[in-house]
Amino acid sequence: MDAGFTAEQDDIRRTLRELLRKRCGPEEVRAAVDSPAGHDPGLWTALAARLGLPGLALPERYGGVGCPVTDLALACEETGRFLAPSPLLATAALAAPLLLALGTDAQRAELLPRIAAGTLTAALAVPGAGLATALALTGTNGGDWAGGGRAGGVQARRADGRWRLYGQVDQVLDGHSAALLVVAAHTGGFARSRTLLFLVPGDASGLVRVRQTAVDATRPRARLQLRDTEAALLGDDDRADVLAALAAVGDTAAAVLACEAVGAADRALERTVEYVGRREQFGRAIGSFQAVKHRLADVYVQVQAARSAAYYAAWGAAGHGERVGGLALAQALEALRTAAAEGIQLHGGIGFTWEHEAHLYFKRAAGDELLFGPVHRLRAHAAETARLFEEREVAV
């Protein structure tokens, strides 16, 4: 692994950081999440038109930039620093790779150029609280997480050559505003049950979307109700290996998320160091106290270790055969949680207030762990996959 960045990657990071510093301060973030879209459409247009972020990891033949997923991960590290609310994660890291992997030529040609241009946003709808399971991050995804009918989840039924969906999906990231939904549904009955993916336009008849209150307002979520809603099968073969595609996308998305969490943790630590350097107590800056130094040094070591793991996971996901995204995500989420908690503690009373941004980073850590974790299950599944604790004979 080459740990150095290319000139293009440095340019992306620098340009993106400058843009977000101007357009994504704490007040702008709060205003964006309170809007109906849950993000600033003007900022999203700038990210798409000026920097091409939605198409960064898409092939050039579909209007993308053709960069490896490493570049998308590095870009998300910068968006994570500022907790920028945008459809980037749901569209570029979750939905677009599934369209690319499973879609027909016609579906790719129709949808991917619009995603790359930023004119089409998409979201992955997985029933219940099973997103981490569906992406094979906290367990194998061969179970019945897709659910069905009144028992929860979504069922698909084919009649007169058309697919129709019914059921409910909770906690869909950016599901209230996405123009395209990629819905996981249970089909085939119980004798030949399987999970398939379907495309549902955001304005489809029978689709009801309600934005939900989330721990982390910068990650808006929605509840979807599908009431005999017409849908199109993703791909042209209902025997496609959907579970393998979801697992591959899960590893890549985990690497991207890990880099994003590292960016947020680094920013939380940076702001805390700035504060303790100017906050005085007993006639001296509290950052000069040895106990405070030790606490921040521990956070720094944890953030740097998480950064190394996240970069390695992103490198491995870019065609190098290493699938360690879940493990890197666990380390990054733990680093973010620690950095945010220490930031609140060392900011004192002001760290708990709505006026200060410290609580936003803590909520990001808590929200991501609820959606993609928890950390102990991410690690447990990684250990199980690596067969770490299996008994093996040792040659003497």
Side-chain angles (χ1 to χ4, degrees):
M1 173 185 172
D2 183 2
F5 297 125
T6 65
E8 291 78 8
Q9 289 171 337
D10 285 332
D11 287 342
I12 292 173
R13 289 158 61 91
R14 182 176 57 256
T15 305
L16 183 55
R17 186 175 297 190
E18 290 174 356
L19 174 63
L20 293 175
R21 185 177 289 114
K22 296 176 181 177
R23 300 282 300 271
C24 209
E27 295 304 320
E28 288 81 3
V29 168
R30 292 189 180 93
V33 299
D34 288 338
S35 67
H39 64 271
D40 180 4
L43 177 61
W44 174 245
T45 299
L47 294 176
R50 180 176 170 184
L51 300 176
L53 292 193
L56 204 57
L58 289 177
E60 293 182 32
R61 64 180 180 276
Y62 296 121
V65 182
C67 294
V69 72
T70 310
D71 293 52
L72 178 61
L74 293 176
C76 284
E77 183 180 355
E78 297 305 320
T79 61
R81 285 180 60 84
F82 297 91
L83 302 181
S86 79
L88 182 62
L89 178 65
T91 299
L94 294 175
L98 289 171
L99 296 174
L100 184 62
L102 299 174
T104 64
D105 291 339
Q107 287 172 337
R108 294 171 185 168
E110 177 189 359
L111 300 173
L112 291 180
R114 294 164 59 194
I115 287 179
T119 58
L120 177 69
T121 57
L124 174 62
V126 171
L131 181 59
T133 302
L135 297 176
L137 295 177
T138 57
T140 56
N141 62 358
D144 57 355
W145 52 268
R150 295 180 181 178
V154 181
Q155 285 191 343
R157 178 179 58 196
R158 192 170 188 176
D160 300 326
R162 295 183 178 182
W163 288 97
R164 308 194 77 85
L165 307 181
Y166 63 97
Q168 180 170 299
V169 188
D170 297 310
Q171 304 299 318
V172 180
L173 187 61
D174 289 317
H176 68 292
S177 61
L180 177 69
L181 300 170
V182 181
V183 183
H186 183 90
T187 183
F190 292 102
R192 296 183 299 168
S193 63
R194 60 181 296 117
T195 299
L196 296 176
L197 296 178
F198 297 88
L199 301 178
V200 178
D203 58 355
S205 177
L207 172 64
V208 178
R209 307 194 284 182
V210 180
R211 183 174 176 179
Q212 302 293 98
T213 300
V215 172
D216 176 17
T218 65
R219 290 246 200 259
R221 306 173 194 179
R223 173 184 294 140
L224 310 182
Q225 292 181 343
L226 298 133
R227 303 170 179 175
D228 201 30
T229 303
E230 186 172 341
L233 179 67
L234 178 58
D236 55 5
D237 185 1
D238 59 7
R239 294 170 294 178
D241 196 346
V242 171
L243 300 182
L246 282 168
V249 169
D251 184 74
T252 301
V256 172
L257 272 165
C259 285
E260 187 185 71
V262 164
D266 187 60
R267 179 61 173 168
L269 175 60
E270 180 183 287
R271 291 301 304 271
T272 305
V273 171
E274 291 175 357
Y275 179 77
V276 300
R278 64 174 183 269
R279 175 73 169 92
E280 291 189 359
Q281 191 72 284
F282 306 111
R284 56 189 287 195
I286 63 174
S288 65
F289 298 138
Q290 191 174 36
V292 174
K293 290 180 180 180
H294 284 176
R295 290 173 68 172
L296 292 177
D298 289 341
V299 176
Y300 175 80
V301 171
Q302 193 169 355
V303 171
Q304 293 306 314
R307 173 175 280 118
S308 296
Y311 285 176
Y312 183 78
W315 173 83
H320 294 94
E322 293 284 347
R323 299 184 67 168
V324 292
L327 198 55
L329 178 59
Q331 192 161 353
L333 289 179
E334 190 170 53
L336 174 56
R337 184 175 57 192
T338 301
E342 290 287 6
I344 289 177
Q345 288 289 324
L346 293 175
H347 272 86
I350 194 174
F352 289 87
T353 65
W354 177 252
E355 289 75 18
H356 201 275
E357 62 178 315
H359 70 96
L360 296 176
Y361 288 89
F362 188 82
K363 290 177 180 177
R364 168 60 66 88
D368 276 4
E369 192 167 350
L370 287 171
L371 195 60
F372 298 101
V375 165
H376 71 274
R377 290 189 60 192
L378 288 167
R379 286 184 171 142
H381 180 59
E384 182 181 354
T385 302
R387 303 170 63 185
L388 192 61
F389 300 112
E390 287 188 6
E391 293 184 3
R392 303 179 187 179
E393 293 184 0
V394 179
V396 180

